[in-house]
Amino acid sequence: MYEIVHKEALSPNIKLIEVKAPAVAKKTKPGQFVIIRIHEKGERFPITISNSNKDEGTIQLIFAEVGKSSILLGKLNEGESILNLAGPLGNATDTKDYGNILCVGGGVMVGALLFQMKVLKGSGNNITTIIGARSKDRLILIDEARKYSDDFYVATDDGSEGRQGIEFLKEILQQKRFDHVFTMGPTSMQKIVSEYTKSYNIPTTVNLFPIMVDGTGMCGACRVTVGNTTRFACVHGPDFDGHQVDFDELISRMRFYNPNEKIAMVLYEGV
Amino acid sequence: MTAIKSQVDMPRQEPNERIKNFDEVAIGYNAEMALEEASRCLNCPKPQCVKGCPVEVPIPEFIKLIKEGNYISAAKKIKEKNSLPAVCGRVCPQEDQCQKNCVLGIRGDPIAIGRLERFASDWERKYSKIEKQEIQFKGGRVAVIGSGPAGLTVAADLAKLGHKVTIFESLHAAGGVLMYGIPEFRLPKEIVQYEVEYVNSLGVEIKLDSTIGRLATIQELFDDGYDAIFIGSGAGLPNFLIIPGENLKGVYSANEFLIRTNLMKAYKFPEYDTPIRVGKRVGVIGAGNVAMDSARCALRLGAEQSNIIYRRGRDEMPARIEEVENAEEEGIHFEFLTNPIRFIGNSRGFLEKVECIHMKLSEPDSSGRRRPEPIPGSEFTIELDTAIIAIGQSPNPIIQQTTQGLETTRHGTIIVNEDSMETKIPGVFAGGDVVSGAATVISAMGAGKLAAKSMHQYILSKKGILQ
């Protein structure tokens, strides 16, 4: 059992929790994830780790309440526990000094990106950051992200805060020369970022979260085509070269269980 | 010469009933049947059966106890050597092991040793309680990685010898392939958990959610004070065909299909949260036990037609004959000498059909195996909504990747000294599928038994107890 020692709401449907898991906290590095299961009949699902505190023995998880399992997780309060939590899984991000880097984050993954940025900053990188969300009320961790950035921009799809849309990423790429790009966020956003940076030939690291069951290489549900080769996000990733990833296939695969998820939600909300 | 009585049949669920449920197919002997079957045992002065058992079960002794009506004592007698009798009684290929050697088999049916083992252990589970065993700690601390058949065997054997054992299991339940791989209708999960509880009662600690290689490395386990380490991480990485369309929606690895079904109980969705999608027409690629399990699960999950697609012929199928018979009885359809060459999907990325080519078997090569060869121009398609790739598994790479000095083959299996199961790193032992490649439950247990013996010696000499 893994106790939730702190919980806060970052936006109407985005929650941040700190979970007691000392052994996991000790080993966690940016880019890695945990697989959790909330109750005896629950499913296993991955969440990217957005921070670890070795002294307190806690890890931080940020998630959007979008399906039955994440809603159940969001209902757990401080003092309550998560039944199972395995990690840190996946390979850590290579956080060396690249020089000038651009970090593009969106949605709940801004937390995990911030974790990357802290370590990348420590390695000596000059960081330009773009944080995006659908609208102003969904932007999270803006002040913290600004703190670790040398240049900082905000963008929303509806223009309610900062610049409007992802289009303006092109401007940034034209204005400045980057040695490397990191992106974490919705898969469709990572796809667009990768397409843009490819035309400027800037190496781009994406962080993928396909459907997973075990998270340790056993099920193969998380297979992703990278450079015409099938790779498992859990043991070969979750970081990949964004220019090599077949995003359309990935996005299609991620929707496979949508009908089942709808059934689960209807039955859950009906109760 | 008196005629040999034939083996007592084991009652089973009728095929048309059982394909609608996940309950156990084989129902098991009752006491009357067990007594009758046991009474056939000749109690040979030089029993041959025992020689066929990789875990040294005292077969004539436990059968004698059944004959005397001492069923619980019979189970305890088995457990002196084998900590997982209810599992072995169900999934061991006895026909190739103990029963193959039974002298009755020369002129008739061998004793149904597996069925009797199952009977005794089921009886014990029903009519007695697991009691915590008080074993004096007089050895060392042992870390066992993986709680599958190999790991549980190593842990139980070393605990009985007085070592303090901790098992690290990556998943949320102990049992490894017994939990995630073998379906409920062949091996009920409640029974696996009972056997795990028995290993627990020997003083073995089981840490779940612990992926060694990620959470801690082998070196870090030594730093934590473990004297010896056993790697039994299994063959968990599914192999794929590497043909076009394999990532279409509706194409599963057998591992994913079985993990969802067995470990996560997707057959009870939405009572259980894990979903699974099975179409009307299912094709399972491969013909081993995992393929049979997948095809039979698919039927129970609502498939109208469940096919085995295999590139060799009937005689070459690696599955146990009993499992093939079970599958056939249930209406599984077999496409032999057929090899998939590409999966074809619709515009929305869902599997629609598989293109295959007919094969023929060439003359046996130097290894004696007949290689399948494609027949040019024989391509044809089979309509499928769901495909399940069951062509084998490779060892899980996480530990190998994170452990310096651990030598592996090009297939990723760990290299050990076969007499001791010790790896190239002193104090680190390995066994089961991670060494042999995907094999049987009982061979993993045999390897575990051998490893436990050498680990015992290793710890005693390390601690200076053994001169």
Side-chain angles (χ1 to χ4, degrees), chain A residues 41 68 216 218-219 223 256, chain B residues 246 253 255 271 273 277:
Chain A
K41 295 179 178 178
K68 184 183 171 187
T216 62
M218 284 170 56
C219 76
R223 57 195 195 274
F256 185 49
Chain B
E246 205 160 17
S253 74
N255 258 12
E271 181 198 343
D273 289 339
R277 288 183 71 177

Side-chain angles (χ1 to χ4, degrees), chain B residues 212-232:
Chain B
I212 298 304
R214 299 283 193 213
L215 189 67
T217 61
I218 298 284
Q219 186 54 51
E220 285 165 335
L221 290 177
F222 279 127
D223 296 344
D224 282 348
Y226 288 100
D227 298 299
I229 297 170
F230 177 80
I231 304 171

Side-chain angles (χ1 to χ4, degrees), chain A residues 17 62 64 116 126 128 173 196 207 231 255 266:
Chain A
I17 54 175
I62 298 174
Q116 263 184 352
N126 183 293
T128 300
L173 290 171
Y196 286 0
N207 186 275
R231 310 291 277 167
R255 293 183 183 142
V266 167

Side-chain angles (χ1 to χ4, degrees), chain A residues 1-2 23-24 26-27 32 37 39-44 68-69 72 83-92 211-225 230 232 234-237 249 252-261 263-264 267, chain B residues 170-173 180 208-211 213-217 220 224 233 235-240 242 245-257 259-260 263-264 269-278 348-350 385-386 389 393 396-398 401:
Chain A
M1 298 287 272
Y2 305 84
V24 181
K26 200 172 126 193
K27 296 287 282 192
Q32 293 185 296
R37 193 175 73 122
H39 61 104
E40 282 298 343
K41 295 179 178 178
E43 62 182 337
R44 294 170 65 93
K68 184 183 171 187
S69 293
L72 287 175
L83 183 58
N84 297 103
L85 182 150
L89 299 174
N91 300 302
I211 294 171
M212 287 186 186
V213 186
D214 64 286
T216 62
M218 284 170 56
C219 76
C222 69
R223 57 195 195 274
V224 180
T225 302
T230 294
F232 291 182
C234 64
V235 289
H236 302 127
E249 178 189 272
S252 167
R253 287 180 61 80
M254 286 171 77
R255 293 183 183 142
F256 185 49
Y257 289 104
N258 282 2
N260 307 69
E261 277 161 23
I263 293 169
L267 289 170
Chain B
S170 179
L171 293 170
H172 61 263
Y180 74 76
L208 302 173
D209 301 326
S210 302
T211 312
R214 299 283 193 213
L215 189 67
T217 61
E220 285 165 335
D224 282 348
S233 50
L237 201 76
N239 295 342
F240 283 91
I242 323 288
E246 205 160 17
N247 294 345
L248 286 165
K249 287 177 283 188
V251 182
Y252 286 94
S253 74
N255 258 12
E256 180 187 358
F257 193 78
I259 291 171
R260 284 182 184 273
L263 180 69
M264 307 309 299
F269 179 86
E271 181 198 343
Y272 280 72
D273 289 339
T274 304
I276 194 159
R277 288 183 71 177
V278 180
R348 290 166 53 235
F350 284 91
D385 310 299
T386 305
I389 317 288
Q393 296 93 237
N396 194 300
I398 296 178
Q401 279 169 5

Side-chain angles (χ1 to χ4, degrees), chain A residues 44-113:
Chain A
R44 294 170 65 93
F45 62 101
I47 299 185
T48 309
I49 305 168
S50 52
N51 210 355
S52 77
N53 186 327
K54 292 173 179 53
D55 301 330
E56 301 282 326
T58 58
I59 56 163
Q60 184 193 76
L61 304 175
I62 298 174
F63 57 95
E65 292 153 300
V66 289
K68 184 183 171 187
S69 293
S70 52
I71 289 172
L72 287 175
L73 180 60
K75 282 198 191 306
L76 294 178
N77 292 312
E78 286 177 11
E80 293 183 304
S81 293
I82 295 170
L83 183 58
N84 297 103
L85 182 150
L89 299 174
N91 300 302
T93 301
D94 186 355
T95 47
K96 66 181 179 188
D97 184 4
Y98 296 84
N100 278 327
I101 62 170
L102 174 66
C103 294
V104 186
V108 292
M109 294 294 282
V110 170
L113 181 78

